Amino acid sequence: MPTYKAPLRDVRFLLNEVFDYPAHYAGMPNGKDADPDTVDAILDECAKFCEEVLAPINLSGDEEGCRIENGAVTTPKGFKDAYEQYVAGGWQGLSHPAEYGGQGLPMSMGLFKTEMMGTANWSFNMYPGLSLGAMNTIMQHASDELKNIYMPPLTEGRWTGTMCLTEPQCGTDLGQVKTRAEPQADGTYRITGTKIFISAGEHDLAENIVHVVLARLPDAPAGTRGISLFIIPKHRPAADGAVGEFNNVVCSALEHKMGIKASATAVINFEDSVGWMIAEENKGLEAMFTFMNTARIGTAIQGVCHAELSFQGALAYAKDRRSMRALGGKKEPDKVADAIIHHADVRRMLLTQKAVAEGGRAMIYFAAQYADHMTNGIVENDARKYKHWDDKLGFLTPIMKGFLTEMGLESANQGIQVFGGHGYIKEHGMEQIARDARIATLYEGTTGIQALDLLGRKVLVMTRGGAVREFTGMIAKFAVEHMANAKMRRYATPLARYAAEWNVLTMRLMLMARKDRDQVSAASHHFLMYSGYVTMAYFWGLQAAVASDKLANGGKESAEFYKAKLATARFYFDHLLPRAKGHASSMLKPSRSLTKLPVEHFAFE
Amino acid sequence: MPTYKAPLRDVRFLLNEVFDYPAHYAGMPNGKDADPDTVDAILDECAKFCEEVLAPINLSGDEEGCRIENGAVTTPKGFKDAYEQYVAGGWQGLSHPAEYGGQGLPMSMGLFKTEMMGTANWSFNMYPGLSLGAMNTIMQHASDELKNIYMPPLTEGRWTGTMCLTEPQCGTDLGQVKTRAEPQADGTYRITGTKIFISAGEHDLAENIVHVVLARLPDAPAGTRGISLFIIPKHRPAADGAVGEFNNVVCSALEHKMGIKASATAVINFEDSVGWMIAEENKGLEAMFTFMNTARIGTAIQGVCHAELSFQGALAYAKDRRSMRALGGKKEPDKVADAIIHHADVRRMLLTQKAVAEGGRAMIYFAAQYADHMTNGIVENDARKYKHWDDKLGFLTPIMKGFLTEMGLESANQGIQVFGGHGYIKEHGMEQIARDARIATLYEGTTGIQALDLLGRKVLVMTRGGAVREFTGMIAKFAVEHMANAKMRRYATPLARYAAEWNVLTMRLMLMARKDRDQVSAASHHFLMYSGYVTMAYFWGLQAAVASDKLANGGKESAEFYKAKLATARFYFDHLLPRAKGHASSMLKPSRSLTKLPVEHFAFE
């Protein structure tokens, strides 16, 4: 079973050496408390909590799973205690306003925390994670009155929240939502319907659960334009803010899932439950999606988490397990065989995991600065600021969510592969990581939905290629700046070439899509993965530049760390980036390669 | 839960239209009974057994798993009954000699059977599958006396067999085997040791279990050259051939695995158990590996099985589930939304599964003819014939085992992806397929071992590139023959180019490896996957040629089937084959991209 150690050295490299977070925080209105010493202390404390409290109940949580009896859900042994410690530590309100009891730190700090918690125990992380989603939505769309009721207990963690979107007949296509909300004379609504796949929908960690629910008013137009957003607490808040009357919110079942078994995935029935509308009538879907970019970064992080945890497990095993001799000659002649880490192909697997974990982390830490600015736009009620940063984040979000979760799953599978047959056995904990990772490409919008969002919406419709031009402009600038440096040329040259190619591909797809809308769907997956490989290449280039610079300037203290960064960057450019070639080729193939086969002729008996 | 329908139309396309099995069987000494009518009847009967008996206990078998109590293992509900029907049908001896009670049909028939059984229920298929491995080894290496004792009950299926190789300290590196065999005055041996990961090692399906075991004589040289091969029955055979005295073969535990849960994976302790040596002293490893190519094809088939089953499940769901509208315009305007099969990206996933299942099946059916000739070389005691066909098969084996199991896993994951969140829920049966598929890249030699076997052993050392030259010669010839055909040019042109490139890459690697042996390991994975993509492209080219020819010659009866073949071939060339580009690039990158990073600097705290 992998023993989690928070990768603090890498975190600090990104924070202080690559992205200059001290300056970033210093320039933010809510950044004054995030001084380097405080950030350092929080990271240390978070690491300790994750290593000592969350990681030890990860495997046991998977084995035990959640149980339901008469609608009451019991989380696995140790979860309730861990959650109490989480609440006591004030972790839930880390990035939420002080007026509701939070610590008021920038949004990015919450993302760093999520990575550590999620690596140590993704299932546990789902409970506070969903609550954060509900909190963000309430913060932005609810009235002050409702915020004053719900935000304090949610910020404290005494209550938790959920997002209730999916119904049996629809997940992606929320226009098909059927849950009905009947307006009442007192301004509340009575809501009836069934929601499925509700993460943290029912559990024993908190005294109340606040559901944020999509439902339809009686006279609402059909489709996505007739959906409104409601708060429906499991227990209605009493006048004094305590937990009041039961609100007919019934958990009728838990799903039996492939993984994240310690995370309760509930079927929730609302039976004439009292709800309060937030956001504008019939504009619930828009409101629900405002914080979608942030929520999706939360899921993108899952790719990093599973790559990191699986890497830590595989690395320990590869140093310990002995098999055969390295082809280049015996590495440990006094031993019965060489440790498998000496085999180049085993290194290929380990370095894939390492490159994905660290490259993905760099992408997240970069995007987290956008998220900070975007969130401040909301807090400051500055719509232009909000839109500017949300747009920038909006381009990166589907790339990160789609690409990093796919790569996280691959990395988790590589971890099993390093273990050989032992990877298939539960007690080692490696197969759990792959099962837990498998959900990440499915929820919060499947990879296919991310791909459509990226190519169809963000690139072609919203910006006519402008988003790619802007982002590749940054890559090209970096490439030009580093081309003259002999140590950096091996990264700068391909980056310049890919930056140019990405634009060419975008333009060609734009032209093809004008005549054939199916081309957007046909090319979307390849465009997403291509974008992911090139984006990650840029972030490896960035890290290589810093490492190279530090080494050139005598950074002896961490010389081995910087050398490892360069070795990993090199690996990425040699062994992972070339996959972009195949995607570049396939995305330009005409859509009829996919659409021509009639539905009834996919199979013959 | 996918309802399995045996893909008999595709099977017959390969048998009769692509590979001309009637002529192949007619030319074989043991092929006279495999006349087209008999083959047809057997396939129909096999399909019926798989659809009606094995498929219905696949999901329930996963849920229930195997149980152990006091060393006795109980298989899931329905398994014992299904196995009795399997024995009663005479299926175990299908391809084994009539003198031991078999039907004496060619080896290939057994492989076709394996595919159907394995698709319907891979866990079930493990029990007879391991027994076939033991039977083949005993057939080739045991004395007539031992064969007369063991082959009849094994051929009947009344007894089953296993292969006991792995020990806690070694799997890949069998030179580390510690199990000891003490010679006795009566010519038998007393064997003591622990074997792990023994599939079908203990169960309630048969009255006796015959273990084929690697062990070391007291005076044996260290390493792989000191290992001998033994038969160790769970119960010693009595004089009348019935089950005799217990032989101290103890199952001390079952492994808890990610998947194939209905297949018992046992820890087997031999405690002074009586064994009989087969094959020559200290040459047990060689003997064990004689039938390795056939065993590995058996595992390669697993890739086809999971791709096929997951495709069948995903296809049914994609026709049924409605979400959004196709980008090219509404396909089912009277419905609330279009079935998801109308989305090009969903088709990309379905066609990936279909292309892998059918392309992989074509590879298997081609290689099965080699296996027939190779097996006949053994039966006829014709060492030259055996070697000739074993060598040809030996080149394809690691490509099929490595590539098809990796693609089978990907296909199983695509099946989950088509289901969206529902794919993650156990009751749909899609996640089980991915968990079952996960073992295939691990056992019978991991993908990494296949890659080393292919590039290091088969290509560079044994044939100095000759194996690639021979195989690509066949591809090039095909390409040249079809280049003039306007309908075939889209396949012939890339095939010619890849055939040439494959040779160039091989030669370059040969030159690099002369100076740097680590390059073989560094390049091996990319070389394997490249070889797999190009090999499968050839088999899609072959299928396209037949389909195109049939259509040109008015084959109206199956016109839609042939058109679907062409559409799938086109998809393969447009969306999967281009991945070879990335592998081509990466395999030539110097090994230091992988070997340079010191072991102690893979991670920093």
Side-chain angles (χ1 to χ4, degrees):
Chain A
M1 173 182 144
T3 319
Y4 177 57
K5 279 300 283 181
L8 288 175
R9 180 64 188 90
D10 197 49
V11 163
R12 293 192 167 115
F13 172 69
L14 296 174
L15 274 182
N16 303 318
E17 303 175 62
V18 180
F19 297 120
D20 197 357
Y21 263 87
H24 167 75
Y25 285 152
M28 285 177 61
N30 61 339
K32 55 188 173 304
D33 289 342
D35 60 281
D37 285 348
T38 305
V39 170
D40 247 17
I42 290 175
L43 291 173
D44 281 340
E45 206 51 45
C46 186
K48 200 171 160 228
F49 174 69
C50 294
E51 291 167 3
E52 295 177 5
V53 179
L54 298 187
I57 54 173
N58 190 34
L59 185 63
S60 58
D62 176 70
E63 272 165 15
E64 188 181 337
C66 291
R67 280 167 301 128
I68 181 169
E69 208 170 330
N70 299 324
V73 171
T74 311
T75 54
K77 191 157 171 276
F79 271 55
K80 202 167 158 53
D81 178 55
Y83 188 74
E84 275 164 21
Q85 292 186 53
Y86 174 82
V87 170
W91 291 109
Q92 185 67 359
L94 191 69
S95 301
H96 281 79
E99 65 179 300
Y100 300 121
Q103 299 188 39
L105 290 164
M107 174 63 82
S108 51
M109 297 283 301
L111 296 173
F112 310 153
K113 174 194 78 173
T114 294
E115 189 213 313
M116 289 193 214
M117 286 179 56
T119 311
N121 194 327
W122 187 266
S123 280
F124 180 90
N125 182 59
M126 291 290 288
Y127 298 96
L130 267 291
S131 207
L132 287 171
M135 285 161 69
N136 287 338
T137 310
I138 292 169
M139 268 301 292
Q140 193 175 4
H141 299 291
S143 66
D144 283 341
E145 194 187 345
L146 288 170
K147 281 197 253 187
N148 286 332
I149 295 170
Y150 290 100
M151 285 304 294
L154 285 169
T155 303
E156 186 187 339
R158 191 159 38 89
W159 296 4
T160 63
T162 79
M163 307 290 271
C164 295
L165 290 75
T166 302
E167 298 184 2
Q169 75 286 357
C170 65
T172 297
D173 189 0
L174 291 168
Q176 295 183 45
V177 156
K178 285 179 182 166
T179 297
R180 295 185 67 81
E182 297 280 346
Q184 307 295 304
D186 63 356
T188 65
Y189 295 79
R190 288 289 179 145
I191 291 140
T192 301
T194 297
K195 295 284 177 179
I196 64 168
F197 297 170
I198 307 309
S199 299
E202 182 57 48
H203 56 76
D204 55 0
L205 303 181
E207 61 183 40
N208 200 7
I209 300 174
V210 182
H211 301 281
V212 176
V213 182
L214 291 179
R216 199 178 276 288
L217 295 174
D219 56 349
T224 52
R225 283 169 199 174
I227 292 173
S228 303
L229 195 59
F230 301 86
I231 291 180
I232 313 178
K234 176 178 162 189
H235 296 278
R236 286 174 228 161
D240 58 355
V243 169
E245 204 180 337
F246 181 61
N247 197 20
N248 293 335
V249 177
V250 177
C251 173
S252 58
L254 291 184
E255 303 288 355
H256 298 101
K257 310 188 299 297
M258 184 185 197
I260 56 166
K261 294 189 180 193
S263 164
T265 305
V267 177
I268 298 288
N269 297 317
F270 298 102
E271 300 167 355
D272 225 21
S273 309
V274 178
W276 288 262
M277 190 186 286
I278 59 176
E280 278 181 69
E281 198 171 295
N282 295 334
K283 295 201 170 162
L285 213 52
E286 268 169 64
M288 178 67 106
F289 278 95
T290 335
F291 253 97
M292 188 52 82
N293 285 328
T294 320
R296 286 182 171 169
I297 297 177
T299 314
I301 288 176
Q302 196 179 347
V304 176
C305 293
H306 296 311
E308 175 68 37
L309 187 62
S310 186
F311 171 63
Q312 293 195 12
L315 177 60
Y317 188 77
K319 287 177 175 177
D320 186 59
R321 176 80 173 181
R322 295 178 189 286
S323 185
M324 319 294 279
R325 295 295 182 185
L327 291 190
K330 288 184 185 181
K331 290 294 191 301
E332 298 172 297
D334 54 325
K335 297 284 165 59
V336 61
D338 290 337
I340 61 173
I341 196 171
H342 293 294
H343 299 300
D345 187 58
V346 171
R347 287 171 162 251
R348 178 188 59 78
M349 297 190 275
L350 292 169
L351 284 165
T352 299
Q353 300 182 295
K354 183 175 166 70
V356 170
E358 295 178 13
R361 185 174 298 123
M363 286 165 77
I364 300 288
Y365 274 60
F366 174 83
Q369 294 195 345
Y370 286 1
D372 279 341
H373 294 308
M374 186 274 282
T375 313
N376 283 354
I378 295 174
V379 172
E380 295 159 22
N381 239 323
D382 182 339
R384 238 182 85 196
K385 180 173 181 177
Y386 164 75
K387 191 177 165 1
H388 174 79
W389 292 104
D390 194 51
D391 282 351
K392 286 174 91 76
L393 190 59
F395 171 70
L396 283 179
T397 302
I399 297 177
M400 291 193 296
K401 200 297 188 173
F403 178 72
L404 291 182
T405 58
E406 292 286 343
M407 298 304 285
L409 179 58
E410 176 180 336
S411 299
N413 272 310
Q414 298 280 21
I416 293 177
Q417 201 66 25
V418 169
F419 271 69
H422 294 273
Y424 203 62
I425 307 300
K426 283 186 175 285
E427 66 182 281
H428 295 295
M430 299 303 286
E431 61 88 38
Q432 182 196 347
I433 305 173
R435 286 185 291 104
D436 287 355
R438 189 64 194 81
I439 188 61
T441 70
L442 299 168
Y443 61 10
E444 283 293 330
T446 62
T447 305
I449 292 301
Q450 304 303 325
L452 264 189
D453 179 48
L454 175 67
L455 179 60
R457 214 163 141 260
K458 309 287 176 58
V459 171
L460 299 185
V461 172
M462 283 171 65
T463 67
R464 293 169 182 274
V468 174
R469 278 193 301 280
E470 186 187 322
F471 192 73
T472 55
M474 188 173 71
I475 300 178
K477 183 164 169 286
F478 173 85
V480 167
E481 283 169 8
H482 291 85
M483 202 71 86
N485 179 339
K487 300 241 179 238
M488 283 299 294
R489 202 170 297 132
R490 65 158 49 248
Y491 311 113
T493 307
L495 279 174
R497 203 180 58 232
Y498 277 109
E501 185 187 55
W502 194 353
N503 277 293
V504 172
L505 292 168
T506 304
M507 279 185 293
R508 290 187 63 177
L509 287 177
M510 209 177 322
L511 293 173
M512 291 172 86
R514 272 186 206 162
K515 293 180 193 153
D516 172 21
R517 287 295 298 163
D518 279 325
Q519 185 65 30
V520 178
S521 177
S524 60
H525 171 80
H526 296 294
F527 188 82
L528 171 77
M529 294 305 288
Y530 178 93
S531 303
Y533 284 115
V534 179
T535 301
M536 190 175 269
Y538 169 66
F539 288 102
W540 269 114
L542 264 188
Q543 294 183 78
V546 173
S548 173
D549 193 49
K550 295 272 177 174
L551 282 170
N553 293 300
K556 275 201 186 144
E557 202 192 333
S558 286
E560 298 307 335
F561 176 82
Y562 298 127
K563 283 184 196 161
K565 277 287 171 197
L566 287 170
T568 312
R570 179 175 179 157
F571 166 81
Y572 182 82
F573 276 74
D574 283 358
H575 286 268
L576 294 178
L577 181 57
R579 296 181 186 177
K581 293 173 196 279
H583 293 297
S585 166
S586 291
M587 74 174 80
L588 296 179
K589 295 297 193 283
S591 69
R592 60 181 177 279
S593 299
L594 295 167
T595 55
K596 209 181 169 191
L597 187 60
V599 170
E600 62 273 24
H601 298 147
F602 269 67
F604 297 83
E605 278 175 13
Chain B
M1 175 181 143
T3 319
Y4 176 56
K5 280 300 283 180
L8 289 175
R9 180 64 188 92
D10 198 48
V11 163
R12 291 189 169 118
F13 172 69
L14 296 174
L15 274 183
N16 304 318
E17 303 175 63
V18 180
F19 297 120
D20 197 359
Y21 262 87
H24 167 74
Y25 283 152
M28 284 178 61
N30 62 338
K32 55 190 173 301
D33 289 341
D35 60 280
D37 285 349
T38 305
V39 170
D40 247 18
I42 290 174
L43 291 173
D44 281 339
E45 205 51 46
C46 186
K48 200 170 160 230
F49 174 68
C50 294
E51 291 168 3
E52 295 177 5
V53 179
L54 298 188
I57 54 172
N58 190 36
L59 185 63
S60 58
D62 176 69
E63 273 165 15
E64 188 180 337
C66 292
R67 280 168 298 130
I68 182 168
E69 208 170 330
N70 299 324
V73 170
T74 310
T75 54
K77 193 157 171 274
F79 271 56
K80 202 168 157 56
D81 179 54
Y83 188 74
E84 275 165 20
Q85 292 186 53
Y86 174 81
V87 169
W91 290 110
Q92 185 67 0
L94 191 69
S95 301
H96 280 80
E99 62 177 304
Y100 299 120
Q103 299 188 40
L105 290 164
M107 176 62 82
S108 51
M109 298 282 301
L111 296 173
F112 309 153
K113 175 193 79 174
T114 294
E115 188 212 314
M116 290 194 215
M117 286 178 56
T119 311
N121 194 326
W122 187 266
S123 279
F124 180 91
N125 183 59
M126 291 290 288
Y127 297 96
L130 267 290
S131 208
L132 287 172
M135 284 160 71
N136 286 338
T137 310
I138 292 170
M139 267 301 292
Q140 194 175 4
H141 298 291
S143 66
D144 283 341
E145 195 187 344
L146 289 170
K147 281 198 252 187
N148 286 331
I149 295 171
Y150 290 99
M151 285 305 293
L154 285 169
T155 304
E156 187 186 337
R158 191 159 38 87
W159 295 5
T160 64
T162 78
M163 307 290 271
C164 295
L165 290 75
T166 302
E167 298 184 3
Q169 76 286 357
C170 65
T172 297
D173 189 1
L174 291 168
Q176 294 183 44
V177 156
K178 286 179 181 166
T179 296
R180 295 186 67 82
E182 295 281 346
Q184 306 296 304
D186 63 356
T188 65
Y189 295 79
R190 288 288 179 143
I191 291 140
T192 301
T194 297
K195 295 285 178 178
I196 64 167
F197 297 170
I198 307 308
S199 299
E202 182 56 49
H203 56 77
D204 56 359
L205 303 181
E207 61 184 38
N208 200 8
I209 300 174
V210 183
H211 301 280
V212 176
V213 182
L214 291 179
R216 201 179 276 288
L217 295 174
D219 56 349
T224 53
R225 284 171 197 172
I227 291 173
S228 303
L229 195 58
F230 301 86
I231 291 180
I232 313 179
K234 176 178 161 189
H235 296 278
R236 285 174 228 160
D240 59 354
V243 169
E245 203 179 338
F246 180 62
N247 197 21
N248 294 334
V249 177
V250 177
C251 173
S252 57
L254 292 185
E255 303 288 355
H256 298 101
K257 309 188 300 296
M258 182 184 197
I260 56 166
K261 294 189 180 193
S263 163
T265 305
V267 177
I268 298 289
N269 297 316
F270 299 102
E271 299 167 356
D272 225 22
S273 308
V274 178
W276 286 263
M277 190 187 285
I278 60 176
E280 278 180 68
E281 199 170 295
N282 294 335
K283 295 203 169 162
L285 213 53
E286 268 168 65
M288 179 67 105
F289 278 94
T290 335
F291 253 97
M292 189 52 81
N293 285 329
T294 320
R296 285 183 170 170
I297 296 177
T299 314
I301 289 176
Q302 195 178 348
V304 175
C305 293
H306 297 311
E308 175 69 38
L309 187 63
S310 187
F311 171 63
Q312 293 195 11
L315 177 60
Y317 188 77
K319 287 177 175 177
D320 186 58
R321 177 80 172 180
R322 296 179 187 287
S323 185
M324 318 295 278
R325 295 295 181 184
L327 291 189
K330 288 185 186 181
K331 291 293 190 301
E332 299 171 296
D334 54 325
K335 297 284 166 58
V336 62
D338 291 336
I340 60 173
I341 196 171
H342 293 295
H343 298 301
D345 187 58
V346 172
R347 286 172 162 251
R348 180 187 58 77
M349 297 189 274
L350 292 170
L351 284 165
T352 299
Q353 301 181 296
K354 183 175 166 69
V356 170
E358 296 178 11
R361 185 174 298 121
M363 286 165 77
I364 300 288
Y365 275 59
F366 175 82
Q369 294 195 343
Y370 286 0
D372 279 342
H373 295 307
M374 185 275 282
T375 314
N376 284 353
I378 295 175
V379 173
E380 295 160 22
N381 239 322
D382 182 339
R384 238 181 86 195
K385 180 173 181 177
Y386 165 74
K387 190 175 167 1
H388 174 79
W389 293 104
D390 194 51
D391 282 351
K392 285 174 93 76
L393 190 60
F395 171 69
L396 284 179
T397 302
I399 297 176
M400 292 194 295
K401 197 305 187 168
F403 179 72
L404 290 182
T405 58
E406 292 286 344
M407 297 305 284
L409 179 58
E410 176 180 337
S411 299
N413 273 311
Q414 298 280 21
I416 293 176
Q417 201 67 23
V418 169
F419 271 70
H422 294 273
Y424 203 61
I425 306 300
K426 283 188 175 286
E427 66 183 282
H428 295 295
M430 299 304 286
E431 60 88 38
Q432 181 195 347
I433 305 174
R435 286 187 290 103
D436 288 354
R438 189 63 194 83
I439 188 61
T441 70
L442 300 167
Y443 62 11
E444 283 294 330
T446 61
T447 305
I449 292 301
Q450 304 302 326
L452 264 189
D453 179 48
L454 175 67
L455 179 59
R457 213 162 141 259
K458 308 286 174 59
V459 171
L460 298 186
V461 172
M462 283 170 66
T463 67
R464 293 168 180 274
V468 174
R469 280 194 299 280
E470 186 187 320
F471 192 73
T472 55
M474 188 173 71
I475 300 179
K477 184 166 168 284
F478 173 85
V480 167
E481 283 168 8
H482 292 85
M483 203 69 87
N485 179 338
K487 300 238 180 241
M488 284 298 295
R489 202 169 299 132
R490 67 158 46 250
Y491 310 113
T493 308
L495 279 174
R497 204 182 54 234
Y498 278 110
E501 186 187 55
W502 195 353
N503 276 293
V504 172
L505 293 167
T506 303
M507 278 185 295
R508 290 188 62 177
L509 287 177
M510 208 176 325
L511 292 173
M512 291 173 87
R514 272 187 207 161
K515 292 180 195 154
D516 172 19
R517 288 294 298 163
D518 278 325
Q519 186 65 30
V520 178
S521 178
S524 60
H525 171 80
H526 296 294
F527 187 83
L528 172 76
M529 295 305 288
Y530 179 92
S531 303
Y533 284 115
V534 178
T535 301
M536 190 175 268
Y538 169 66
F539 288 102
W540 269 114
L542 263 188
Q543 294 183 79
V546 173
S548 174
D549 193 51
K550 294 273 177 173
L551 283 169
N553 292 300
K556 274 200 186 144
E557 203 194 333
S558 286
E560 298 306 336
F561 176 83
Y562 298 127
K563 284 183 195 162
K565 277 286 170 198
L566 287 170
T568 312
R570 180 174 177 157
F571 167 81
Y572 182 82
F573 276 74
D574 284 359
H575 286 268
L576 295 178
L577 181 57
R579 296 181 185 176
K581 293 172 197 281
H583 293 296
S585 165
S586 290
M587 76 173 80
L588 296 179
K589 294 297 194 282
S591 70
R592 61 181 177 278
S593 299
L594 296 167
T595 54
K596 208 179 168 193
L597 187 60
V599 170
E600 62 273 25
H601 297 146
F602 269 68
F604 297 83
E605 278 175 14

